[in-house]
Amino acid sequence: MIAVSVTPAYNESKHIADVIAETKKYVTYTIVVDDCSKDNTWEKAIESRADIILISQENYGQGY
C-alpha cells in the first residue's frame, strides 16, 4: 500500500525538518507545498529529503 502526505508550509523553516522526519515514519511519500515563504522553508525541505517540493510564486493561503 502506498501512503502519501501533503504538508502545506509557510515560513516553517524552523519546524519543517521535524515535520518531515515524523511524517516519513508513516507514509511512503512526502510532499511539501511551500506557499511563497519568506524564509528558506523549501531549502530545509530539500535537506530533510522530502520526496516532492512544490514552491508557489505567490502566497495563496492554505485553502488554495
Side-chain angles (χ1 to χ4, degrees):
M1 183 165 98
I2 295 176
V4 178
S5 170
V6 179
T7 304
Y10 180 71
N11 293 337
E12 292 295 335
S13 65
K14 293 180 181 177
H15 305 286
I16 196 68
D18 292 335
V19 171
I20 292 169
E22 189 66 22
T23 302
K24 281 186 166 280
K25 295 177 184 178
Y26 305 100
V27 300
T28 311
Y29 298 104
T30 56
I31 301 171
V32 174
V33 181
D34 183 349
D35 196 16
C36 196
S37 294
K38 305 292 186 221
D39 62 5
N40 60 342
T41 297
W42 67 272
E43 292 172 337
K44 295 292 184 180
I46 290 171
E47 292 171 6
S48 301
R49 303 186 50 87
D51 296 298
I52 298 173
I53 302 157
L54 303 173
I55 304 169
S56 176
Q57 298 298 312
E58 192 173 324
N59 181 271
Y60 292 103
Q62 186 174 1
Y64 183 74

